[in-house]
Amino acid sequence: MHKSGWKCCKRAGRVRAVAEITLDRLAKVYPDGTRAVVGLDMEVADGEFVVFVGPSGCGKTSALRMIAGLEEITEGTVTIGGEVVNELPPKNRDVAMVFQNYALYPHMSVFDNMGFALKMRGFERGEIARRVNDAAKALGLVEVLRKRPRTLSGGQRQRVAMGRAIVREPQAFLMDEPLSNLDAKLRVQMRAEIARIQRSLGTTTIYVTHDQSEAMTLGDRVAVMRRGELQQLDPPQRLYEEPVNLFVAEFIGSPAMNLVEAVLAWENGAARVRFGEHELPLDAETLTRRPGLASYDGRRLALGIRPEDLGDAALEGVPEDRRIPVTIDLREDMGAEVFLHFGVDATAVETEDVKEAQEDDVAQGLRFIARVARESRAREGERIDLSIDTRRLRFFDLETGQAIL
Ligand SMILES: Nc1ncnc2c1ncn2[C@@H]1O[C@H](COP(=O)(O)OP(=O)(O)OP(=O)(O)O)[C@@H](O)[C@H]1O
Ligand SMILES: [Mg+2]
């Protein structure tokens, strides 16, 4: 059954094709001149779950549709399972798409909705029944197989849409914001479900979303895109710990990384970083780990502080020089933790990339957020000391936006 050139592997007792997906200098220019995707290079390993994430219009859907064969490729190649598929029509690419707007056939039962594509492809009834029943078990749809879509809940309908993709046993799943029509709670449930099903099937998956928390929880690796260009492709933890530039730093993480213009001053081999009225020493460890900082003596740069690297100093025994005095202007009790908002009298980092990465257009000015332990007694209007984990500070070049390493 397998096309020549495919390798096979055995998983869960079933023989299936090894389906790595390779994008080589992939580009999309629409007829009106819009450059939606620019020089996209990427290898998605067999069985891997890769998420494309980025703000609206960054080219996620365009990239996915070129892989699926729904959009003509302007430049570059798409290779699936070792075969260049540029010229193959979608139905011959052996990939299954799941969209946000999945239209189920209203007059067909759930069973027929799920089995329809197989029927059209001439599968035998027995095989269709086997596949639909297997998928229904995995998706918790066994009880509703005879029902019509309109009698189902939103979550169940989304599951049927997933089921239609699963029964095809494709080489890869391509999903474009499949959960964005669901309410927040259901979305979190369904994303856990998608992760579980993908792991058990081991099918290569590319998933598109603009929601960074969805990307971080689902992806083995996450591809952050901006203006058609790949910024960084890394496992979630690495993306969070070592963002390669200001855009990724601002886009990944919620609440976002606090960013401020700062000046670095070196003296006798030690360095201090100054922003507004505050000044902090940099650890020898930080300086060894980021030798690039040596060339920033006396220069302005962007300083990044993750909210959780700030603490309520009253709860911790931190040295005097690792604290900053701030006035709390908002306290948000989140249950497990507390967000403390405060202003910093310094220059905000408002480069184009940072603005684009911000979730809303509201100019944030220089509002910082500290994510502190729920035991904190800090009150609004109060002046308190916050501790800073100086080992975890991040630095970026203001001109290029690149992380200083
Ligand atoms: N058919 C088209 N013709 C011209 N321009 C298009 C077309 N489709 C998309 N674009 C443009 O290409 C760019 C990328 O669009 P795309 O839909 O791929 O982005 P996206 O990341 O999926 O965005 P969203 O998060 O809003 O879905 C945008 O500037 C968009 O306006
Ligand atoms: Mg899109």
Side-chain angles (χ1 to χ4, degrees), residues 315-327:
L315 303 173
E316 302 164 24
V318 286
E320 203 64 38
D321 64 353
R322 309 291 153 109
R323 301 174 177 207
I324 57 169
V326 305
T327 303

Side-chain angles (χ1 to χ4, degrees), residues 219-230:
D220 292 321
R221 287 188 301 159
V222 175
V224 182
M225 293 179 66
R226 175 189 181 221
R227 298 187 179 177
E229 283 184 65
L230 180 63

